[in-house]
PDB file of all heavy atoms in Angstrom:
ATOM      1  N   GLU A 231      37.327  38.330  53.578  1.00 77.00           N
ATOM      2  CA  GLU A 231      37.146  39.671  54.070  1.00 77.00           C
ATOM      3  C   GLU A 231      35.583  40.034  54.090  1.00 77.00           C
ATOM      4  O   GLU A 231      35.270  41.090  54.717  1.00 77.00           O
ATOM      5  CB  GLU A 231      37.931  40.689  53.257  1.00 77.00           C
ATOM      6  CG  GLU A 231      39.379  40.501  53.215  1.00 77.00           C
ATOM      7  CD  GLU A 231      39.980  40.723  54.614  1.00 77.00           C
ATOM      8  OE1 GLU A 231      39.336  41.462  55.418  1.00 77.00           O
ATOM      9  OE2 GLU A 231      41.075  40.133  54.837  1.00 77.00           O
ATOM     10  N   GLY A 232      34.849  39.285  53.492  1.00 75.00           N
ATOM     11  CA  GLY A 232      33.358  39.639  53.399  1.00 75.00           C
ATOM     12  C   GLY A 232      33.086  40.346  52.158  1.00 75.00           C
ATOM     13  O   GLY A 232      33.891  40.431  51.209  1.00 75.00           O
ATOM     14  N   GLU A 233      31.922  41.087  52.091  1.00 68.00           N
ATOM     15  CA  GLU A 233      31.536  41.755  50.927  1.00 68.00           C
ATOM     16  C   GLU A 233      32.392  42.967  50.510  1.00 68.00           C
ATOM     17  O   GLU A 233      32.764  43.236  49.418  1.00 68.00           O
ATOM     18  CB  GLU A 233      30.093  42.199  51.013  1.00 68.00           C
ATOM     19  CG  GLU A 233      29.048  41.026  50.991  1.00 68.00           C
ATOM     20  CD  GLU A 233      29.231  40.193  49.750  1.00 68.00           C
ATOM     21  OE1 GLU A 233      29.324  40.806  48.598  1.00 68.00           O
ATOM     22  OE2 GLU A 233      29.197  38.949  49.802  1.00 68.00           O
ATOM     23  N   ALA A 234      32.789  43.766  51.582  1.00 61.00           N
ATOM     24  CA  ALA A 234      33.607  44.996  51.270  1.00 61.00           C
ATOM     25  C   ALA A 234      35.023  44.385  50.970  1.00 61.00           C
ATOM     26  O   ALA A 234      35.676  43.621  51.681  1.00 61.00           O
ATOM     27  CB  ALA A 234      33.701  45.851  52.552  1.00 61.00           C
ATOM     28  N   LEU A 235      35.644  45.027  49.874  1.00 58.00           N
ATOM     29  CA  LEU A 235      36.912  44.630  49.461  1.00 58.00           C
ATOM     30  C   LEU A 235      37.676  45.740  48.815  1.00 58.00           C
ATOM     31  O   LEU A 235      37.106  46.504  47.976  1.00 58.00           O
ATOM     32  CB  LEU A 235      36.767  43.421  48.389  1.00 58.00           C
ATOM     33  CG  LEU A 235      38.100  42.794  47.837  1.00 58.00           C
ATOM     34  CD1 LEU A 235      38.761  42.206  49.007  1.00 58.00           C
ATOM     35  CD2 LEU A 235      37.743  41.931  46.677  1.00 58.00           C
ATOM     36  N   ASP A 236      38.903  46.017  49.308  1.00 66.00           N
ATOM     37  CA  ASP A 236      39.705  46.916  48.691  1.00 66.00           C
ATOM     38  C   ASP A 236      40.518  46.263  47.596  1.00 66.00           C
ATOM     39  O   ASP A 236      41.435  45.519  47.808  1.00 66.00           O
ATOM     40  CB  ASP A 236      40.604  47.529  49.819  1.00 66.00           C
ATOM     41  CG  ASP A 236      41.465  48.702  49.219  1.00 66.00           C
ATOM     42  OD1 ASP A 236      41.476  48.971  48.070  1.00 66.00           O
ATOM     43  OD2 ASP A 236      42.156  49.337  50.084  1.00 66.00           O
ATOM     44  N   THR A 237      40.203  46.730  46.326  1.00 62.00           N
ATOM     45  CA  THR A 237      40.889  46.071  45.210  1.00 62.00           C
ATOM     46  C   THR A 237      42.333  46.364  45.201  1.00 62.00           C
ATOM     47  O   THR A 237      43.191  45.511  44.950  1.00 62.00           O
ATOM     48  CB  THR A 237      40.205  46.498  43.937  1.00 62.00           C
ATOM     49  OG1 THR A 237      38.900  46.286  43.917  1.00 62.00           O
ATOM     50  CG2 THR A 237      40.787  45.734  42.671  1.00 62.00           C
ATOM     51  N   ASP A 238      42.762  47.615  45.560  1.00 68.00           N
ATOM     52  CA  ASP A 238      44.216  47.957  45.605  1.00 68.00           C
ATOM     53  C   ASP A 238      44.956  47.140  46.617  1.00 68.00           C
ATOM     54  O   ASP A 238      46.107  46.665  46.429  1.00 68.00           O
ATOM     55  CB  ASP A 238      44.399  49.442  45.830  1.00 68.00           C
ATOM     56  CG  ASP A 238      43.979  50.266  44.667  1.00 68.00           C
ATOM     57  OD1 ASP A 238      43.881  49.667  43.548  1.00 68.00           O
ATOM     58  OD2 ASP A 238      43.779  51.486  44.842  1.00 68.00           O
ATOM     59  N   ALA A 239      44.242  46.862  47.804  1.00 65.00           N
ATOM     60  CA  ALA A 239      44.909  45.963  48.882  1.00 65.00           C
ATOM     61  C   ALA A 239      45.077  44.587  48.412  1.00 65.00           C
ATOM     62  O   ALA A 239      45.952  43.882  48.863  1.00 65.00           O
ATOM     63  CB  ALA A 239      44.051  46.121  50.099  1.00 65.00           C
ATOM     64  N   THR A 240      44.114  44.134  47.518  1.00 60.00           N
ATOM     65  CA  THR A 240      44.173  42.729  47.044  1.00 60.00           C
ATOM     66  C   THR A 240      45.250  42.563  45.967  1.00 60.00           C
ATOM     67  O   THR A 240      46.097  41.586  46.029  1.00 60.00           O
ATOM     68  CB  THR A 240      42.881  42.306  46.571  1.00 60.00           C
ATOM     69  OG1 THR A 240      41.869  42.471  47.594  1.00 60.00           O
ATOM     70  CG2 THR A 240      42.836  40.810  46.197  1.00 60.00           C
ATOM     71  N   PHE A 241      45.231  43.378  44.880  1.00 61.00           N
ATOM     72  CA  PHE A 241      46.065  43.186  43.765  1.00 61.00           C
ATOM     73  C   PHE A 241      47.202  44.126  43.779  1.00 61.00           C
ATOM     74  O   PHE A 241      48.101  44.010  42.965  1.00 61.00           O
ATOM     75  CB  PHE A 241      45.233  43.378  42.517  1.00 61.00           C
ATOM     76  CG  PHE A 241      44.183  42.341  42.346  1.00 61.00           C
ATOM     77  CD1 PHE A 241      42.890  42.705  42.601  1.00 61.00           C
ATOM     78  CD2 PHE A 241      44.515  41.088  41.946  1.00 61.00           C
ATOM     79  CE1 PHE A 241      41.871  41.703  42.420  1.00 61.00           C
ATOM     80  CE2 PHE A 241      43.513  40.096  41.858  1.00 61.00           C
ATOM     81  CZ  PHE A 241      42.264  40.434  42.107  1.00 61.00           C
ATOM     82  N   GLY A 242      47.321  45.158  44.591  1.00 64.00           N
ATOM     83  CA  GLY A 242      48.351  46.090  44.580  1.00 64.00           C
ATOM     84  C   GLY A 242      48.010  47.282  43.717  1.00 64.00           C
ATOM     85  O   GLY A 242      47.240  47.174  42.807  1.00 64.00           O
ATOM     86  N   GLN A 243      48.783  48.331  43.814  1.00 61.00           N
ATOM     87  CA  GLN A 243      48.539  49.480  42.936  1.00 61.00           C
ATOM     88  C   GLN A 243      49.063  49.231  41.538  1.00 61.00           C
ATOM     89  O   GLN A 243      50.250  48.738  41.466  1.00 61.00           O
ATOM     90  CB  GLN A 243      49.273  50.658  43.559  1.00 61.00           C
ATOM     91  CG  GLN A 243      48.671  52.121  43.116  1.00 61.00           C
ATOM     92  CD  GLN A 243      47.459  52.378  43.796  1.00 61.00           C
ATOM     93  OE1 GLN A 243      47.145  51.912  44.845  1.00 61.00           O
ATOM     94  NE2 GLN A 243      46.669  53.395  43.209  1.00 61.00           N
ATOM     95  N   GLN A 244      48.256  49.385  40.506  1.00 56.00           N
ATOM     96  CA  GLN A 244      48.743  49.144  39.193  1.00 56.00           C
ATOM     97  C   GLN A 244      49.295  50.424  38.580  1.00 56.00           C
ATOM     98  O   GLN A 244      48.531  51.381  38.373  1.00 56.00           O
ATOM     99  CB  GLN A 244      47.376  48.716  38.364  1.00 56.00           C
ATOM    100  CG  GLN A 244      46.861  47.343  38.820  1.00 56.00           C
ATOM    101  CD  GLN A 244      47.806  46.183  38.664  1.00 56.00           C
ATOM    102  OE1 GLN A 244      48.611  46.116  37.704  1.00 56.00           O
ATOM    103  NE2 GLN A 244      47.741  45.225  39.697  1.00 56.00           N
ATOM    104  N   GLU A 245      50.578  50.234  38.227  1.00 53.00           N
ATOM    105  CA  GLU A 245      51.170  51.540  37.713  1.00 53.00           C
ATOM    106  C   GLU A 245      51.150  51.400  36.137  1.00 53.00           C
ATOM    107  O   GLU A 245      51.507  50.386  35.602  1.00 53.00           O
ATOM    108  CB  GLU A 245      52.692  51.586  38.164  1.00 53.00           C
ATOM    109  CG  GLU A 245      52.775  51.745  39.644  1.00 53.00           C
ATOM    110  CD  GLU A 245      54.259  51.834  40.004  1.00 53.00           C
ATOM    111  OE1 GLU A 245      55.090  51.847  39.144  1.00 53.00           O
ATOM    112  OE2 GLU A 245      54.558  52.090  41.237  1.00 53.00           O
ATOM    113  N   SER A 246      50.740  52.532  35.598  1.00 51.00           N
ATOM    114  CA  SER A 246      50.639  52.535  34.143  1.00 51.00           C
ATOM    115  C   SER A 246      52.007  53.089  33.590  1.00 51.00           C
ATOM    116  O   SER A 246      52.693  53.845  34.135  1.00 51.00           O
ATOM    117  CB  SER A 246      49.546  53.520  33.623  1.00 51.00           C
ATOM    118  OG  SER A 246      49.788  54.844  34.183  1.00 51.00           O
ATOM    119  N   GLY A 247      52.401  52.497  32.407  1.00 47.00           N
ATOM    120  CA  GLY A 247      53.664  52.784  31.777  1.00 47.00           C
ATOM    121  C   GLY A 247      53.679  54.202  31.231  1.00 47.00           C
ATOM    122  O   GLY A 247      52.613  54.891  31.181  1.00 47.00           O
ATOM    123  N   GLU A 248      54.857  54.698  30.824  1.00 46.00           N
ATOM    124  CA  GLU A 248      54.897  56.029  30.312  1.00 46.00           C
ATOM    125  C   GLU A 248      54.174  56.181  29.057  1.00 46.00           C
ATOM    126  O   GLU A 248      53.464  57.213  28.845  1.00 46.00           O
ATOM    127  CB  GLU A 248      56.440  56.336  30.074  1.00 46.00           C
ATOM    128  CG  GLU A 248      57.289  56.376  31.421  1.00 46.00           C
ATOM    129  CD  GLU A 248      58.725  56.715  30.963  1.00 46.00           C
ATOM    130  OE1 GLU A 248      59.043  56.780  29.749  1.00 46.00           O
ATOM    131  OE2 GLU A 248      59.577  56.750  31.899  1.00 46.00           O
ATOM    132  N   ASP A 249      54.196  55.178  28.177  1.00 47.00           N
ATOM    133  CA  ASP A 249      53.651  55.330  26.912  1.00 47.00           C
ATOM    134  C   ASP A 249      52.271  54.715  26.714  1.00 47.00           C
ATOM    135  O   ASP A 249      51.857  54.440  25.714  1.00 47.00           O
ATOM    136  CB  ASP A 249      54.565  54.790  25.785  1.00 47.00           C
ATOM    137  CG  ASP A 249      55.931  55.491  25.853  1.00 47.00           C
ATOM    138  OD1 ASP A 249      55.954  56.750  26.194  1.00 47.00           O
ATOM    139  OD2 ASP A 249      56.917  54.839  25.581  1.00 47.00           O
ATOM    140  N   SER A 250      51.702  54.376  27.989  1.00 45.00           N
ATOM    141  CA  SER A 250      50.395  53.573  27.816  1.00 45.00           C
ATOM    142  C   SER A 250      49.324  54.548  27.141  1.00 45.00           C
ATOM    143  O   SER A 250      49.104  55.638  27.458  1.00 45.00           O
ATOM    144  CB  SER A 250      49.904  53.350  29.259  1.00 45.00           C
ATOM    145  OG  SER A 250      49.741  54.336  30.071  1.00 45.00           O
ATOM    146  N   GLY A 251      48.683  53.824  26.146  1.00 47.00           N
ATOM    147  CA  GLY A 251      47.631  54.607  25.502  1.00 47.00           C
ATOM    148  C   GLY A 251      48.094  55.489  24.411  1.00 47.00           C
ATOM    149  O   GLY A 251      47.402  56.011  23.530  1.00 47.00           O
ATOM    150  N   GLY A 252      49.487  55.734  24.325  1.00 48.00           N
ATOM    151  CA  GLY A 252      50.011  56.574  23.203  1.00 48.00           C
ATOM    152  C   GLY A 252      50.214  55.708  21.993  1.00 48.00           C
ATOM    153  O   GLY A 252      50.588  54.612  22.032  1.00 48.00           O
ATOM    154  N   GLU A 253      50.186  56.404  20.806  1.00 50.00           N
ATOM    155  CA  GLU A 253      50.439  55.720  19.593  1.00 50.00           C
ATOM    156  C   GLU A 253      51.837  55.744  19.154  1.00 50.00           C
ATOM    157  O   GLU A 253      52.535  56.787  19.419  1.00 50.00           O
ATOM    158  CB  GLU A 253      49.625  56.452  18.442  1.00 50.00           C
ATOM    159  CG  GLU A 253      49.758  55.731  17.091  1.00 50.00           C
ATOM    160  CD  GLU A 253      48.995  56.500  16.039  1.00 50.00           C
ATOM    161  OE1 GLU A 253      48.281  57.566  16.413  1.00 50.00           O
ATOM    162  OE2 GLU A 253      49.069  56.131  14.860  1.00 50.00           O
ATOM    163  N   VAL A 254      52.454  54.692  18.912  1.00 44.00           N
ATOM    164  CA  VAL A 254      53.819  54.629  18.492  1.00 44.00           C
ATOM    165  C   VAL A 254      53.956  55.073  17.038  1.00 44.00           C
ATOM    166  O   VAL A 254      53.452  54.559  16.128  1.00 44.00           O
ATOM    167  CB  VAL A 254      54.352  53.186  18.510  1.00 44.00           C
ATOM    168  CG1 VAL A 254      55.787  53.135  18.115  1.00 44.00           C
ATOM    169  CG2 VAL A 254      54.264  52.651  19.959  1.00 44.00           C
TER     170      VAL A 254
END
Side-chain angles (χ1 to χ4, degrees):
E231 300 295 334
E233 289 302 318
L235 180 67
D236 185 352
T237 307
D238 289 340
T240 304
F241 296 104
Q243 203 78 17
Q244 298 295 325
E245 295 183 0
S246 58
E248 293 179 359
D249 302 326
S250 60
E253 182 181 358
V254 178

